[in-house]
């Protein structure tokens, strides 16, 4: 079986889907690996390293797709909504595609992928189970985003993060407040603490409190209770507008007292709720920084402009998207380990076995045989359920 790794085509994307170190494990599982020339260069993995580990370099992108039984990407068409459509004619019936597909983004896109006939697996849909943990690339990328968000804030803040006792007096530590204590938020807490800041966090899921405490953060309790806060997969459930209104009222004081606010509160497939308003930004001290990790989904801050850094009322608001791509070496390494574990899991006797009785296979498989087959995706887009 041939596993192909095209160069990522999303503008500015620096990650690569496979790093040389994982090739020997894939070879052991029965794969030959072909890589588009230069695919790993921006992440720090030159062609020569792929060859040294047993990979083959191909100059033409179309050739990588043509030869491959399995195509491995980071941003497939779907999550790559800029240049990803150019790959559609290169996909073919019976081929397997693995990567971020943004399966709850647009029904038309998912149907276009289906109509190529590929069996497409979406990494975003990996179940949150212990068994699937080693394959959970969404969490890996979120970890990197949480780290980088804090680094961006520290770089911009006109203050130091740690408390320092010096001959010039004592410097008080920065106060970092994190809204949304999922994987991004938890890594942001850990990183802010490592830099010496005082970190606190809030999440609407009560289960997050213990995790925040375990990282040495303070959990901010708000007297507002979410209805059915968490679904069976561990994700937050969308709430009505009156809940968000109440949250904004209660968050105002904490936001105003913080030097840095990192927002990472999202609901799968939905626009991010606005939790930090213009009015709240105006009440922050001059020089404060907001990093809105939810920018790609519209942002948690009313003043966020996706992919931009803006200064409003002397407060910097950073809305950069695709933060994981700015740490491409380790983002690629983590992604590659996760997807290699997934491919090896799916491979039985040198072939990919699509057994939908298996939870990991069933939940991640989005398209097959020309159709959108994933029950969650079909339900999300109100497509009629498929008869088993
Ligand atoms: N294998 C596993 O068991 C596994 C893997 C990954 C994540 N998880 C867990 O799943 C949970 C969700 O993680 P995620 O990072 O993918 O979530 P996510 O990226 O979907 O959301 C980020 C956070 O935002 C919060 N949020 C949403 N709306 C909010 C609002 N209005 N106000 C405040 N907070 C709001 C959510 O509760 C979540 O914690 C976490 O508890 C995480 O530890 C488990």
């Amino acid at each position: 079986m041939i596993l192909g790794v095209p160069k990522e085509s999303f503008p500015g994307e620096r990650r690569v889907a496979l790093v040389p170190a994982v090739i020997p494990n894939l070879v052991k599982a029965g794969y030959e690996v072909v890589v588009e020339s230069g695919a790993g260069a921006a992440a720090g993995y030159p062609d020569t390293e792929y060859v040294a580990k047993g990979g083959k370099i191909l100059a033409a992108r179309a050739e990588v797709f043509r030869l491959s039984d399995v195509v491995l990407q980071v941003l497939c068409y779907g999550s790559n909504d800029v240049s990803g459509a150019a790959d559609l004619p290169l996909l073919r019936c019976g081929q397997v595609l693995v990567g971020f597909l943004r399966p709850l983004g647009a029904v038309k896109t998912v149907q276009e992928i289906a109509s190529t006939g590929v069996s497409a697996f979406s990494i975003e849909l990996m179940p949150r189970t212990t068994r699937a943990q080693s394959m959970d690339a969404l969490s890996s990328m979120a970890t990197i985003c949480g780290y980088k968000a804090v680094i961006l804030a520290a770089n911009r803040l006109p203050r130091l993060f740690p408390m320092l006792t010096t001959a010039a007096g004592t410097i008080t530590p920065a106060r970092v407040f994190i809204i949304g204590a999922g994987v991004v938020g938890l890594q942001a807490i850990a990183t802010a603490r490592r830099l010496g800041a005082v970190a606190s966090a809030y999440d609407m899921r009560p289960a997050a409190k213990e995790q925040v405490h375990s990282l040495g953060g303070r959990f901010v309790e708000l007297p507002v209770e979410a209805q059915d806060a968490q679904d069976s997969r561990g994700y937050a459930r969308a709430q009505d507008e009156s809940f968000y209104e109440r949250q904004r009222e209660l968050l105002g004081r904490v936001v105003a007292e913080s030097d840095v606010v990192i927002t990472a509160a999202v609901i799968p497939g939905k626009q991010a709720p606005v939790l930090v308003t213009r009015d709240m930004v105006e009440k922050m001290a001059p020089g404060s920084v907001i990093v809105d990790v939810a920018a790609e989904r519209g942002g948690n801050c009313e003043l966020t402009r996706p992919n931009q850094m803006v200064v409003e009322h002397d407060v910097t608001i950073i809305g950069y998207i695709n933060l994981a791509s700015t740490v491409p070496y380790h983002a690629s390494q983590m992604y590659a380990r996760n997807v290699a574990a997934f491919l090896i899991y799916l491979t039985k006797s040198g072939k990919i076995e699509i057994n939908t009785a298996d939870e990991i296979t069933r939940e991640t498989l989005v398209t097959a045989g020309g159709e959108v087959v994933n029950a969650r995706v079909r339900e999300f887009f109100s497509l009629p359920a498929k008869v088993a």
Side-chain angles (χ1 to χ4, degrees), residues 188-200:
I189 295 169
T191 306
R193 296 248 315 143
R194 283 184 207 115
L195 287 178
V198 172
S200 57

mmCIF file with all atom_site columns, all heavy atoms in Angstrom, residues 188-200:
data_model
loop_
_atom_site.group_PDB
_atom_site.id
_atom_site.type_symbol
_atom_site.label_atom_id
_atom_site.label_alt_id
_atom_site.label_comp_id
_atom_site.label_asym_id
_atom_site.label_entity_id
_atom_site.label_seq_id
_atom_site.pdbx_PDB_ins_code
_atom_site.Cartn_x
_atom_site.Cartn_y
_atom_site.Cartn_z
_atom_site.occupancy
_atom_site.B_iso_or_equiv
_atom_site.pdbx_formal_charge
_atom_site.auth_seq_id
_atom_site.auth_comp_id
_atom_site.auth_asym_id
_atom_site.auth_atom_id
_atom_site.pdbx_PDB_model_num
ATOM 1  N N   . ALA A 1 188 ? -2.863 26.760 28.190 1.00 0.00 ? 188 ALA A N   1
ATOM 2  C CA  . ALA A 1 188 ? -2.580 28.186 28.427 1.00 0.00 ? 188 ALA A CA  1
ATOM 3  C C   . ALA A 1 188 ? -2.323 28.426 29.918 1.00 0.00 ? 188 ALA A C   1
ATOM 4  O O   . ALA A 1 188 ? -1.402 29.165 30.288 1.00 0.00 ? 188 ALA A O   1
ATOM 5  C CB  . ALA A 1 188 ? -3.735 29.045 27.926 1.00 0.00 ? 188 ALA A CB  1
ATOM 6  N N   . ILE A 1 189 ? -3.115 27.777 30.774 1.00 0.00 ? 189 ILE A N   1
ATOM 7  C CA  . ILE A 1 189 ? -2.896 27.926 32.219 1.00 0.00 ? 189 ILE A CA  1
ATOM 8  C C   . ILE A 1 189 ? -1.494 27.428 32.578 1.00 0.00 ? 189 ILE A C   1
ATOM 9  O O   . ILE A 1 189 ? -0.719 28.106 33.259 1.00 0.00 ? 189 ILE A O   1
ATOM 10 C CB  . ILE A 1 189 ? -3.942 27.112 33.033 1.00 0.00 ? 189 ILE A CB  1
ATOM 11 C CG1 . ILE A 1 189 ? -5.338 27.663 32.808 1.00 0.00 ? 189 ILE A CG1 1
ATOM 12 C CG2 . ILE A 1 189 ? -3.598 27.110 34.528 1.00 0.00 ? 189 ILE A CG2 1
ATOM 13 C CD1 . ILE A 1 189 ? -6.445 26.771 33.338 1.00 0.00 ? 189 ILE A CD1 1
ATOM 14 N N   . ALA A 1 190 ? -1.173 26.235 32.091 1.00 0.00 ? 190 ALA A N   1
ATOM 15 C CA  . ALA A 1 190 ? 0.127  25.631 32.421 1.00 0.00 ? 190 ALA A CA  1
ATOM 16 C C   . ALA A 1 190 ? 1.274  26.524 31.945 1.00 0.00 ? 190 ALA A C   1
ATOM 17 O O   . ALA A 1 190 ? 2.239  26.743 32.670 1.00 0.00 ? 190 ALA A O   1
ATOM 18 C CB  . ALA A 1 190 ? 0.223  24.241 31.793 1.00 0.00 ? 190 ALA A CB  1
ATOM 19 N N   . THR A 1 191 ? 1.132  27.078 30.743 1.00 0.00 ? 191 THR A N   1
ATOM 20 C CA  . THR A 1 191 ? 2.215  27.898 30.182 1.00 0.00 ? 191 THR A CA  1
ATOM 21 C C   . THR A 1 191 ? 2.331  29.227 30.931 1.00 0.00 ? 191 THR A C   1
ATOM 22 O O   . THR A 1 191 ? 3.435  29.671 31.252 1.00 0.00 ? 191 THR A O   1
ATOM 23 C CB  . THR A 1 191 ? 1.959  28.134 28.670 1.00 0.00 ? 191 THR A CB  1
ATOM 24 O OG1 . THR A 1 191 ? 1.774  26.867 28.044 1.00 0.00 ? 191 THR A OG1 1
ATOM 25 C CG2 . THR A 1 191 ? 3.117  28.858 28.010 1.00 0.00 ? 191 THR A CG2 1
ATOM 26 N N   . ALA A 1 192 ? 1.206  29.841 31.233 1.00 0.00 ? 192 ALA A N   1
ATOM 27 C CA  . ALA A 1 192 ? 1.223  31.117 31.961 1.00 0.00 ? 192 ALA A CA  1
ATOM 28 C C   . ALA A 1 192 ? 1.858  30.918 33.339 1.00 0.00 ? 192 ALA A C   1
ATOM 29 O O   . ALA A 1 192 ? 2.645  31.745 33.809 1.00 0.00 ? 192 ALA A O   1
ATOM 30 C CB  . ALA A 1 192 ? -0.193 31.657 32.102 1.00 0.00 ? 192 ALA A CB  1
ATOM 31 N N   . ARG A 1 193 ? 1.560  29.789 33.971 1.00 0.00 ? 193 ARG A N   1
ATOM 32 C CA  . ARG A 1 193 ? 2.137  29.504 35.294 1.00 0.00 ? 193 ARG A CA  1
ATOM 33 C C   . ARG A 1 193 ? 3.644  29.275 35.185 1.00 0.00 ? 193 ARG A C   1
ATOM 34 O O   . ARG A 1 193 ? 4.412  29.725 36.016 1.00 0.00 ? 193 ARG A O   1
ATOM 35 C CB  . ARG A 1 193 ? 1.467  28.261 35.886 1.00 0.00 ? 193 ARG A CB  1
ATOM 36 C CG  . ARG A 1 193 ? -0.017 28.470 36.158 1.00 0.00 ? 193 ARG A CG  1
ATOM 37 C CD  . ARG A 1 193 ? -0.359 28.490 37.617 1.00 0.00 ? 193 ARG A CD  1
ATOM 38 N NE  . ARG A 1 193 ? 0.295  27.430 38.356 1.00 0.00 ? 193 ARG A NE  1
ATOM 39 C CZ  . ARG A 1 193 ? 0.763  27.553 39.595 1.00 0.00 ? 193 ARG A CZ  1
ATOM 40 N NH1 . ARG A 1 193 ? 0.678  28.684 40.223 1.00 0.00 ? 193 ARG A NH1 1
ATOM 41 N NH2 . ARG A 1 193 ? 1.328  26.520 40.196 1.00 0.00 ? 193 ARG A NH2 1
ATOM 42 N N   . ARG A 1 194 ? 4.055  28.577 34.127 1.00 0.00 ? 194 ARG A N   1
ATOM 43 C CA  . ARG A 1 194 ? 5.500  28.348 33.959 1.00 0.00 ? 194 ARG A CA  1
ATOM 44 C C   . ARG A 1 194 ? 6.241  29.663 33.794 1.00 0.00 ? 194 ARG A C   1
ATOM 45 O O   . ARG A 1 194 ? 7.391  29.785 34.182 1.00 0.00 ? 194 ARG A O   1
ATOM 46 C CB  . ARG A 1 194 ? 5.760  27.462 32.731 1.00 0.00 ? 194 ARG A CB  1
ATOM 47 C CG  . ARG A 1 194 ? 5.488  26.013 32.966 1.00 0.00 ? 194 ARG A CG  1
ATOM 48 C CD  . ARG A 1 194 ? 5.875  25.192 31.731 1.00 0.00 ? 194 ARG A CD  1
ATOM 49 N NE  . ARG A 1 194 ? 5.080  23.990 31.693 1.00 0.00 ? 194 ARG A NE  1
ATOM 50 C CZ  . ARG A 1 194 ? 4.190  23.704 30.750 1.00 0.00 ? 194 ARG A CZ  1
ATOM 51 N NH1 . ARG A 1 194 ? 3.996  24.507 29.727 1.00 0.00 ? 194 ARG A NH1 1
ATOM 52 N NH2 . ARG A 1 194 ? 3.493  22.589 30.813 1.00 0.00 ? 194 ARG A NH2 1
ATOM 53 N N   . LEU A 1 195 ? 5.583  30.630 33.190 1.00 0.00 ? 195 LEU A N   1
ATOM 54 C CA  . LEU A 1 195 ? 6.218  31.944 33.008 1.00 0.00 ? 195 LEU A CA  1
ATOM 55 C C   . LEU A 1 195 ? 6.076  32.809 34.265 1.00 0.00 ? 195 LEU A C   1
ATOM 56 O O   . LEU A 1 195 ? 6.529  33.949 34.282 1.00 0.00 ? 195 LEU A O   1
ATOM 57 C CB  . LEU A 1 195 ? 5.599  32.671 31.809 1.00 0.00 ? 195 LEU A CB  1
ATOM 58 C CG  . LEU A 1 195 ? 5.982  32.140 30.426 1.00 0.00 ? 195 LEU A CG  1
ATOM 59 C CD1 . LEU A 1 195 ? 5.252  32.919 29.339 1.00 0.00 ? 195 LEU A CD1 1
ATOM 60 C CD2 . LEU A 1 195 ? 7.479  32.243 30.193 1.00 0.00 ? 195 LEU A CD2 1
ATOM 61 N N   . GLY A 1 196 ? 5.415  32.291 35.264 1.00 0.00 ? 196 GLY A N   1
ATOM 62 C CA  . GLY A 1 196 ? 5.358  32.991 36.542 1.00 0.00 ? 196 GLY A CA  1
ATOM 63 C C   . GLY A 1 196 ? 4.134  33.861 36.765 1.00 0.00 ? 196 GLY A C   1
ATOM 64 O O   . GLY A 1 196 ? 4.054  34.569 37.768 1.00 0.00 ? 196 GLY A O   1
ATOM 65 N N   . ALA A 1 197 ? 3.172  33.806 35.829 1.00 0.00 ? 197 ALA A N   1
ATOM 66 C CA  . ALA A 1 197 ? 1.966  34.628 36.008 1.00 0.00 ? 197 ALA A CA  1
ATOM 67 C C   . ALA A 1 197 ? 1.019  33.976 37.020 1.00 0.00 ? 197 ALA A C   1
ATOM 68 O O   . ALA A 1 197 ? 1.136  32.786 37.323 1.00 0.00 ? 197 ALA A O   1
ATOM 69 C CB  . ALA A 1 197 ? 1.250  34.778 34.669 1.00 0.00 ? 197 ALA A CB  1
ATOM 70 N N   . VAL A 1 198 ? 0.073  34.759 37.490 1.00 0.00 ? 198 VAL A N   1
ATOM 71 C CA  . VAL A 1 198 ? -1.014 34.214 38.302 1.00 0.00 ? 198 VAL A CA  1
ATOM 72 C C   . VAL A 1 198 ? -2.137 33.887 37.308 1.00 0.00 ? 198 VAL A C   1
ATOM 73 O O   . VAL A 1 198 ? -2.613 34.777 36.593 1.00 0.00 ? 198 VAL A O   1
ATOM 74 C CB  . VAL A 1 198 ? -1.496 35.257 39.334 1.00 0.00 ? 198 VAL A CB  1
ATOM 75 C CG1 . VAL A 1 198 ? -2.747 34.773 40.043 1.00 0.00 ? 198 VAL A CG1 1
ATOM 76 C CG2 . VAL A 1 198 ? -0.391 35.543 40.343 1.00 0.00 ? 198 VAL A CG2 1
ATOM 77 N N   . ALA A 1 199 ? -2.509 32.617 37.231 1.00 0.00 ? 199 ALA A N   1
ATOM 78 C CA  . ALA A 1 199 ? -3.482 32.211 36.206 1.00 0.00 ? 199 ALA A CA  1
ATOM 79 C C   . ALA A 1 199 ? -4.812 31.822 36.839 1.00 0.00 ? 199 ALA A C   1
ATOM 80 O O   . ALA A 1 199 ? -4.857 31.122 37.854 1.00 0.00 ? 199 ALA A O   1
ATOM 81 C CB  . ALA A 1 199 ? -2.925 31.030 35.417 1.00 0.00 ? 199 ALA A CB  1
ATOM 82 N N   . SER A 1 200 ? -5.887 32.307 36.228 1.00 0.00 ? 200 SER A N   1
ATOM 83 C CA  . SER A 1 200 ? -7.215 31.867 36.645 1.00 0.00 ? 200 SER A CA  1
ATOM 84 C C   . SER A 1 200 ? -8.018 31.540 35.395 1.00 0.00 ? 200 SER A C   1
ATOM 85 O O   . SER A 1 200 ? -7.672 31.972 34.283 1.00 0.00 ? 200 SER A O   1
ATOM 86 C CB  . SER A 1 200 ? -7.911 32.940 37.484 1.00 0.00 ? 200 SER A CB  1
ATOM 87 O OG  . SER A 1 200 ? -7.970 34.127 36.739 1.00 0.00 ? 200 SER A OG  1
#
